[in-house]
Amino acid sequence: MKKSLGLLIVTVFMLVFSVACSNESGGESSGEKGNNATGEAGTGPLNVSLTLMGGPKTPDAWVNEALAKDLTDHLDRDVTVEDIFLPSWSDAKTKINLMMSDKSSMPDVLWFWDMNKEYKQWVDAGVLQDLTPYLQSKGQNIINYYNRENLFYSWDPSGKIYRIPGDVSEPGTMTTMIRKDWLDNLGLDVPTTIDEYVDVLRAFTFDDPDGNGKDDTYGISGENLYRAFAPFFYAYGVDVEQFMIQDDGTIKYGSLMPETREVLELLQGLYKEGVIDPRVLTNTEQQDVDDIMANGKIGSIYRWVAFFNPESTYNLAFKEKNPDGEYIAIDPIKGPSGFSSDVPSDAIGWSFLSVTGAAEEPETVVDVIDRMASPETYRLITFGQEGELYTIDENGVYDSKLSVDERNKLGLGNYNWYVQRKDEANLENTPEVNELFAARDKSSRPMREKIFFVKSLNRPMWTEYATDINTLRDETFWGIISGNLPITAYDDFVDQYGALGGDKIDEETNKLYSEQKNQWEEFNAWYDENIEPYK
């Protein structure tokens, strides 16, 4: 099986290389593609093909016709939209590679994620368009929505942009949530410090906060991910999965910082007491946590801000079983030094859009993406027609007239992650939730300033050694929390880090940090000349 997969990857790369050789202008002079020698807009009928991964993937849906009509009116020419639905997550990358192996099968717009190696090959082979001139002429919604930092992570040091983000999270998407009704029942105040937070969690576990006379509650729960314990790690100013900027300007893996040991020891004690839901240490995924929250036996959890939308599935499920229950969002917990922060999202984005060499009118294709990114068209293809499919009340609250099945039948969401807007165009967010997102933007900044988000796609040392290091880290850290390993196991992990290749990773990462700071300066000058004047 491994041999067959290897042969497939080699074959795909050779095919991509052959495409580039037969069309050397792919990345350098994209206007020479197709019948339109300038790459500019034509006047006849236009068919634009889009690879799609989001939403219900409903073929021949109402939303396709609605988008085509919107684009026809916008471009003043007949437009048809060819939806190319990618298969399951496990098979989508294979499909993408096959499409990109030959110009005849390439879409106009490629959506992809987590394919840094392939993306670099496509750029080197010249089969992706430089979007810079088209963003300047037709990309005003895109360049006004994405900020300078967003575009930096998609900027090539050659001075070109071969991709734009398809979806970038809000700067702060998560928050510490706590049961207000339980606080009230027990006469407790909202905790602000780590000591107060621990005391509240213990009370939620042992003092019968729901008043049913049973020992059936836990202080805290979450996914089997380190972010479940963000109120603890972040109070101590550490993220065990990130590279942290030290006071002396060097970079260090968060797992190695002494504060990590302190947090692990604290969590080990709380787990032994029974304050931590044991399901956190099992293979608990997002759907499992949604069910755990809905059952109403958890006092605190680090979870998505979007929960507080009244119509969110998480909120509805919780209120259905706990009509008198109430979660509130609280400010991040302060640690021993007074530091506090929420988890920051990176500015990179997790999915991307590129225009391929198959697009005969790349400028028009960028115009299409930009139109989809406009607030009015985004609302149309995401929520439908106002008045007919949804309403907005006097308080600005969105109310859909459709069931989930009806939304899926119409194909609403088919075009998700084509510049997924997280501002007022996202009607599902109430004004209060938008305010909370803004608050979490501010409260996540302290840690954002401490984390080094790596831009480079070329990290050979990390690629070679990270898997073994992180495997040992996870075995050690979860083993300590569960009590299966003593706290001294952490010291053993730190001692083994260098021998496992950690020293080489540190050297590589510190070099990249220095290079990235210089690159940021170069990018700022480029941005001021090539993007800012065209907004």
Side-chain angles (χ1 to χ4, degrees), residues 414-453:
N414 275 0
Y415 300 108
N416 281 355
W417 308 326
Y418 265 63
V419 187
Q420 192 82 5
R421 298 192 71 109
K422 304 297 175 67
D423 54 9
E424 289 77 6
N426 181 9
L427 301 177
E428 289 179 326
N429 285 345
T430 65
E432 293 78 13
V433 168
N434 281 327
E435 290 178 7
L436 183 54
F437 272 122
R440 290 301 161 261
D441 176 4
K442 293 180 180 179
S443 62
S444 64
R445 289 176 188 174
M447 190 61 100
R448 186 178 294 113
E449 294 175 357
K450 293 169 69 73
I451 293 175
F452 172 40
F453 294 107

Side-chain angles (χ1 to χ4, degrees), residues 130-133 155-162 522-523 526 530:
D130 173 22
L131 303 179
T132 306
W155 178 74
D156 190 88
S158 66
K160 299 179 179 181
I161 291 183
Y162 294 105
E522 295 173 8
F523 168 78
W526 178 91
N530 291 279

Side-chain angles (χ1 to χ4, degrees), residues 457-507:
L457 304 181
N458 185 26
R459 301 172 66 187
M461 297 299 100
W462 175 258
T463 301
E464 183 172 353
Y465 300 113
T467 299
D468 289 342
I469 288 174
N470 288 338
T471 297
L472 179 60
R473 176 199 65 192
D474 294 345
E475 292 173 351
T476 302
F477 289 12
W478 291 110
I480 291 172
I481 295 170
S482 68
N484 292 326
L485 292 176
I487 189 61
T488 54
Y490 174 79
D491 306 320
D492 297 335
F493 163 74
V494 173
D495 290 341
Q496 294 179 65
Y497 175 80
L500 288 172
D503 290 344
K504 295 178 181 178
I505 288 177
D506 289 347
E507 181 181 356

Side-chain angles (χ1 to χ4, degrees), residues 129-182:
Q129 307 275 2
D130 173 22
L131 303 179
T132 306
Y134 311 128
L135 290 173
Q136 293 171 344
S137 61
K138 298 294 182 180
Q140 278 60 53
N141 285 299
I142 296 170
I143 62 177
N144 279 289
Y145 177 70
Y146 288 130
N147 62 36
R148 184 182 294 251
E149 191 176 4
N150 295 148
L151 292 183
F152 170 62
Y153 285 99
S154 287
W155 178 74
D156 190 88
S158 66
K160 299 179 179 181
I161 291 183
Y162 294 105
R163 70 183 189 188
I164 59 170
D167 185 20
V168 177
S169 295
E170 296 89 343
T173 63
M174 305 188 79
T175 187
T176 302
M177 298 168 57
I178 200 164
R179 288 288 294 270
K180 182 180 183 301
D181 55 314
W182 287 10

Side-chain angles (χ1 to χ4, degrees), residues 79-216:
V79 177
T80 57
V81 179
E82 180 185 351
D83 296 336
I84 302 175
F85 296 112
L86 294 172
S88 66
W89 291 99
S90 59
D91 297 326
K93 291 178 183 178
T94 299
K95 172 71 172 178
I96 290 170
N97 273 320
L98 289 173
M99 285 193 299
M100 291 300 292
S101 68
D102 188 272
K103 183 180 178 182
S104 64
S105 60
M106 290 181 189
D108 293 321
V109 182
L110 179 70
W111 179 96
F112 60 99
W113 90 105
D114 191 31
M115 300 181 72
N116 288 339
K117 180 180 179 181
E118 292 88 345
Y119 169 70
K120 188 176 185 302
Q121 291 173 348
W122 298 330
V123 170
D124 292 344
V127 296
L128 299 181
Q129 307 275 2
D130 173 22
L131 303 179
T132 306
Y134 311 128
L135 290 173
Q136 293 171 344
S137 61
K138 298 294 182 180
Q140 278 60 53
N141 285 299
I142 296 170
I143 62 177
N144 279 289
Y145 177 70
Y146 288 130
N147 62 36
R148 184 182 294 251
E149 191 176 4
N150 295 148
L151 292 183
F152 170 62
Y153 285 99
S154 287
W155 178 74
D156 190 88
S158 66
K160 299 179 179 181
I161 291 183
Y162 294 105
R163 70 183 189 188
I164 59 170
D167 185 20
V168 177
S169 295
E170 296 89 343
T173 63
M174 305 188 79
T175 187
T176 302
M177 298 168 57
I178 200 164
R179 288 288 294 270
K180 182 180 183 301
D181 55 314
W182 287 10
L183 290 174
D184 294 342
N185 291 344
L186 298 175
L188 299 173
D189 294 328
V190 172
T192 59
T193 68
I194 192 68
D195 289 339
E196 293 172 354
Y197 186 59
V198 168
D199 287 342
V200 166
L201 296 184
R202 286 184 174 129
F204 283 171
T205 305
F206 303 119
D207 295 351
D208 193 21
D210 57 0
N212 69 352
K214 300 178 181 179
D215 181 16
D216 60 353

